[in-house]
Amino acid sequence: MTDTAAEAGDAAARDARARAVRATGAGVASPAAPVIRTRGLTKRYRGGRPAVDGLDLTVPAGSVFGFLGPNGSGKTTTIRMLMGLIDPTSGTAEVLGRPMPEAARTVLPEVGALIEGPALYGFLNGRDNLLRYDRADPTADPRTRRARVDEALARVGLAAASGKKAKQYSLGMKQRLGLAAALLRPRRLLVLDEPTNGLDPQGMREIRLLVRELAAEGTTVFLSSHLLDEIEQVCTHAAVMARGRLIVQGPVADLAASARGRLAVTTPDPGDAARILKEHGLTGLSTDGDRLTADAPPAAVDLADLNAALVGGGVRVRFFGVERGSLEDAFVALTGEGFDVAG
Amino acid sequence: MSQAEKSPAERAIDPGPQGSRSPLWTLGLLRSEISTLLRRHRTYALLAVLAAVPVLIGIAVRIETGGGGGGEGGAEGGAGPAFLAQVTNNGFFLVFAALAATLPVFLPMAVGVVAGDAIAGEASSGTLRYLLVAPAGRTRLLLVKYASVLAFCLIATLVVAVSALAVGALLFPVGDVTTISGTRIGFGEGLVRAGLTALVVAVSLAGFAAIGLFVSTLTGSGIGAMAATVGLLITVQILDSIPQLSGVHPYLFAHYWMSFADVLREPVYWDDLSKNFQLQGLYVAVFGSAAWARFTAKDITA
Ligand SMILES: Nc1ncnc2c1ncn2[C@@H]1O[C@H](COP(=O)(O)OP(=O)(O)OP(=O)(O)O)[C@@H](O)[C@H]1O
Ligand SMILES: [Mg+2]
């Protein structure tokens, strides 16, 4: 069972990679250069195991790019390198077509970032926090500062709470203020590390709407998340990391499609049904009461024939069909079932 | 990714403010830095303690000499308590007595807290990463931080001096000032000398402030940096008081601190003062470079 799952995973990964290559091929034809491009990007903290290992990431302009991976897979480390906060051990990173961290001074004013959650001055109120961050930007216009701060506060729904000391903010309010700091100016790239962390359902919805709105304005959004629903709902592209390595990247639709669906049969005779399906070469069978599932057969096999074989074999079929693979299936197939964080 | 979607992003690169950076920006950041510093309760607690020292000294002297007349007196040079004797005759001397009392420990301790926290505090609260992606620039941020610590040195010294002047004027008579050299100068001239003295004391702290800033770049813990900086101060003060170590004394940042009293000589005696300034300059150069080398190469992971 685990073997077949792993095989299916490998197949899915290969599939998705093939598609991703095709997608990049198409990207070359379009005039827009990638917003983020890394080549062999590697980071070892204090000489340990690489936290990020030979990363070749390409984020197309105008995409909403989901950056996925289990805990400790190197997402935040990658983002820190892209933002020039840490130096790569080897490899190169380009953001907005310029090398990081060398070009930080010209690149970063055009990038809004939320890295590993918000960080605020607890003794300042929300508005003063934003004013301080805006003053730290040498290219921000002081004349429009207050207006821009107010606009950012309104955009994240904090206008009414902007006079409150940040230490009195709830987790979600802090997260919103962190987002507001990333939105102080029109940006070409937004880097959001788990932006919906701590938000209520309305907050998450608003963030999704906000991301779509920004994307429509032409901002490229690079967001890391564990919430696959979220990625599936807002992202056009995604990449999956595991243990510091990039497993796959490409358009989300392709990734989800690459997770092979499952054939599901509901019947009072699951034993016979399993036997017949096995005879027809189906793999990954599992039975749960009167419900039987198997890896979806290759396209060459006509489902109608399978159903006829079942009925012909005396199996009473209540339900018969293929369930589409979700991004979650693809994710688990790619990164493994294990819950433990890699050391 | 249609043309319509791309164009606003491309438009965003072109307009003016993006590329242009005002030369006054660093001043704006410095102002933000100082005003942020002055909005922390901790800063006020430190300044309140410093302001309280002259009050305590003033009251103690007043009670001690309640009967009237400072018996043991005389203008001696240098050491702090010498000024105490003159306070009863002229409240003006409380400024010097208070500076002499706070300079060895209280003033540098306050500076050590602020300097040690400068970078490490931002690192431990995580705000450092957002300042850097703003992007404040590492060198500029370090310079602005150091400038704000120097501003705090001056503010702290002035708080002591002004508090002492106010208490001195309230509790004791004030009038013409007898210098350490024995000559008399007018009260106005005395005030100028007092201001100059405060400036000298603030500059005396520059070397120690640079050490604090360097320590601050070494760690991600604000408390740790403050503790290390203050610990170093106490160690140096102890070393400076061990006669057997007189060979290294001229290189200890605290060694010439008490030379500020020479401002009250007629004419001002510059020998030790200039030695002090040179020593502070040396410390600023060495530890400033070390802080810069460390901070610009550091991985910011907090
Ligand atoms: N400051 C650090 N020093 C040493 N090792 C670190 C440091 N930060 C991260 N690591 C290690 O690097 C690896 C990747 O961590 P990273 O924070 O990039 O993961 P992540 O994908 O962001 O995880 P999460 O989903 O939990 O946020 C982990 O093994 C972690 O232990
Ligand atoms: Mg992370």
Side-chain angles (χ1 to χ4, degrees), chain A residues 45-46 49 51-52 69-78 80 116 193-194 226 342-343, chain B residues 301:
Chain A
Y45 290 106
R46 299 258 163 77
R49 198 178 57 82
V52 172
N71 291 135
S73 55
K75 303 182 297 293
T76 301
T77 304
T78 305
R80 285 186 191 134
E116 275 213 308
D193 195 4
E194 294 174 38
H226 306 288
Chain B
T301 55

Side-chain angles (χ1 to χ4, degrees), chain A residues 1 75 154 193 302 309 319 339:
Chain A
M1 175 64 216
K75 303 182 297 293
D193 195 4
D302 192 342
F319 171 87
F339 169 72

Side-chain angles (χ1 to χ4, degrees), chain A residues 93-175:
Chain A
E94 272 179 23
V95 177
L96 301 175
R98 279 159 282 177
M100 287 294 286
E102 295 79 11
R105 280 177 62 170
T106 51
V107 170
L108 291 178
E110 298 184 88
V111 179
L114 184 67
I115 308 159
E116 275 213 308
L120 306 167
Y121 298 87
F123 55 94
L124 296 181
N125 67 30
R127 171 176 282 108
D128 289 339
N129 266 284
L130 293 187
L131 287 171
R132 170 143 172 89
Y133 284 137
D134 197 62
R135 282 196 184 102
D137 180 353
T139 59
D141 186 353
R143 284 163 301 185
T144 59
R145 180 162 290 145
R146 295 202 164 262
R148 284 182 293 112
V149 164
D150 285 339
E151 195 186 331
L153 284 166
R155 213 160 187 186
V156 298
L158 270 186
S162 64
K164 215 175 184 179
K165 290 253 189 301
K167 67 174 165 232
Q168 296 164 358
Y169 276 16
S170 70
L171 177 62
M173 288 163 83
K174 286 180 185 157
Q175 189 77 10

Side-chain angles (χ1 to χ4, degrees), chain A residues 4 12 25 29 50 69 95 97 159 164 187 190 227 232 242 245 258 301 311 328 331:
Chain A
T4 45
V95 177
K164 215 175 184 179
R187 312 282 193 181
L190 266 187
L227 302 174
E232 206 162 11
R245 291 176 170 275
S258 75
V301 177
V311 175
E328 182 168 330
F331 182 77

Side-chain angles (χ1 to χ4, degrees), chain B residues 14-287:
Chain B
D14 303 331
Q18 293 275 3
S20 68
R21 87 187 56 218
S22 152
L24 290 180
W25 166 74
T26 309
L27 284 181
L29 185 61
L30 179 60
R31 223 176 47 204
S32 152
E33 188 60 48
I34 293 175
S35 77
T36 306
L37 179 66
L38 291 182
R39 284 164 78 171
R40 309 193 72 146
H41 293 306
R42 195 192 58 208
T43 309
Y44 284 105
L46 291 171
L47 293 179
V49 169
L50 289 173
V53 171
V55 178
L56 292 180
I57 297 176
I59 292 173
V61 170
R62 177 73 193 223
I63 292 171
E64 204 42 31
T65 58
E72 10 110 48
E76 298 165 30
F83 294 113
L84 273 186
Q86 287 161 293
V87 170
T88 35
N89 299 328
N90 190 347
F92 173 82
F93 279 98
L94 192 55
V95 173
F96 291 84
L99 285 174
T102 50
L103 185 51
V105 179
F106 282 109
L107 262 176
M109 205 140 96
V111 170
V113 169
V114 171
D117 194 50
I119 299 288
E122 301 264 12
S124 63
S125 70
T127 45
L128 182 58
R129 65 173 181 271
Y130 287 109
L131 292 178
L132 291 181
V133 300
R138 296 195 186 201
T139 305
R140 296 226 188 185
L141 187 61
L142 195 69
L143 282 176
V144 163
K145 283 283 180 189
Y146 187 58
S148 77
V149 174
L150 288 185
F152 179 79
C153 291
L154 188 62
I155 292 168
T157 311
L158 287 176
V159 162
V160 173
V162 170
S163 162
L165 197 63
V167 173
L170 269 177
L171 298 183
F172 307 100
V174 289
D176 285 358
V177 178
T178 311
T179 64
I180 297 176
S181 318
T183 58
R184 286 179 80 79
I185 54 177
F187 186 68
E189 164 80 17
L191 279 183
V192 171
R193 295 285 179 104
L196 196 62
T197 306
L199 205 61
V200 166
V201 169
V203 172
S204 298
L205 294 166
F208 180 61
I211 296 176
L213 195 68
F214 173 58
V215 172
S216 193
T217 62
L218 294 181
T219 165
S221 148
I223 306 276
M226 291 188 253
T229 309
V230 172
L232 191 76
L233 166 74
I234 292 166
T235 311
V236 164
Q237 291 288 40
I238 291 171
L239 291 182
D240 199 31
S241 67
I242 300 176
Q244 283 81 355
L245 296 178
S246 57
V248 297
H249 284 177
Y251 304 102
L252 298 178
F253 60 81
H255 187 63
Y256 295 106
W257 274 357
M258 286 304 161
S259 64
F260 76 85
D262 292 344
V263 174
L264 211 55
R265 291 180 194 275
E266 189 63 39
V268 176
Y269 178 68
W270 288 104
D271 262 22
D272 283 356
L273 283 172
S274 67
K275 273 188 200 148
N276 185 18
F277 294 153
Q278 281 164 21
L279 190 62
Q280 298 307 325
L282 186 68
Y283 270 87
V284 171
V286 170
F287 285 93

Side-chain angles (χ1 to χ4, degrees), chain A:
Chain A
M1 175 64 216
T2 39
D3 272 356
T4 45
E7 261 169 44
D10 280 352
R14 243 178 287 122
D15 246 39
R17 247 176 251 134
R19 277 172 231 263
V21 167
R22 255 177 273 136
T24 338
V28 172
S30 104
V35 165
I36 297 173
R37 190 214 299 266
T38 72
R39 287 287 166 265
L41 196 64
T42 302
K43 179 67 186 183
R44 271 174 220 274
Y45 290 106
R46 299 258 163 77
R49 198 178 57 82
V52 172
D53 194 359
L55 184 68
D56 293 326
L57 191 69
T58 307
V59 176
S63 62
V64 178
F65 197 99
F67 198 39
L68 295 167
N71 291 135
S73 55
K75 303 182 297 293
T76 301
T77 304
T78 305
I79 290 175
R80 285 186 191 134
M81 285 191 277
L82 292 175
M83 298 293 99
L85 291 173
I86 62 179
D87 282 332
T89 310
S90 63
T92 58
E94 272 179 23
V95 177
L96 301 175
R98 279 159 282 177
M100 287 294 286
E102 295 79 11
R105 280 177 62 170
T106 51
V107 170
L108 291 178
E110 298 184 88
V111 179
L114 184 67
I115 308 159
E116 275 213 308
L120 306 167
Y121 298 87
F123 55 94
L124 296 181
N125 67 30
R127 171 176 282 108
D128 289 339
N129 266 284
L130 293 187
L131 287 171
R132 170 143 172 89
Y133 284 137
D134 197 62
R135 282 196 184 102
D137 180 353
T139 59
D141 186 353
R143 284 163 301 185
T144 59
R145 180 162 290 145
R146 295 202 164 262
R148 284 182 293 112
V149 164
D150 285 339
E151 195 186 331
L153 284 166
R155 213 160 187 186
V156 298
L158 270 186
S162 64
K164 215 175 184 179
K165 290 253 189 301
K167 67 174 165 232
Q168 296 164 358
Y169 276 16
S170 70
L171 177 62
M173 288 163 83
K174 286 180 185 157
Q175 189 77 10
R176 285 164 188 249
L177 195 61
L179 267 170
L183 298 175
L184 280 170
R185 305 177 56 183
R187 312 282 193 181
R188 284 175 68 197
L189 171 65
L190 266 187
V191 175
L192 306 175
D193 195 4
E194 294 174 38
T196 54
N197 214 355
L199 291 183
D200 50 24
Q202 288 93 325
M204 290 199 191
R205 232 178 97 90
E206 278 167 42
I207 298 303
R208 274 200 301 272
L209 289 177
L210 188 64
V211 165
R212 289 210 186 95
E213 201 179 300
L214 290 163
E217 288 168 19
T219 303
T220 306
V221 184
F222 182 80
L223 89 155
S224 90
S225 180
H226 306 288
L227 302 174
L228 296 159
D229 275 9
E230 191 174 281
I231 300 272
E232 206 162 11
Q233 285 185 42
V234 296
C235 293
T236 59
H237 293 68
V240 179
M241 298 277 291
R243 296 191 193 86
R245 291 176 170 275
L246 183 68
I247 297 192
V248 65
Q249 62 181 325
V252 166
D254 292 2
L255 291 180
S258 75
R260 267 204 275 166
R262 301 278 293 173
L263 175 71
V265 182
T266 311
T267 164
D269 316 312
D272 290 339
R275 182 177 46 78
I276 293 169
L277 289 179
K278 209 173 220 163
E279 282 166 14
H280 281 79
L282 267 70
T283 55
L285 280 108
S286 82
T287 314
D288 177 18
D290 62 355
R291 188 179 139 87
L292 180 78
T293 62
D295 292 337
V301 177
D302 192 342
L303 290 174
D305 293 343
L306 269 183
N307 195 9
L310 284 174
V311 175
V315 174
R316 294 165 293 167
V317 176
R318 280 196 201 120
F319 171 87
F320 181 96
V322 171
E323 293 167 352
R324 190 180 72 85
S326 70
L327 193 58
E328 182 168 330
D329 297 330
F331 182 77
V332 171
L334 289 167
T335 59
E337 292 274 359
F339 169 72
D340 291 340
V341 173

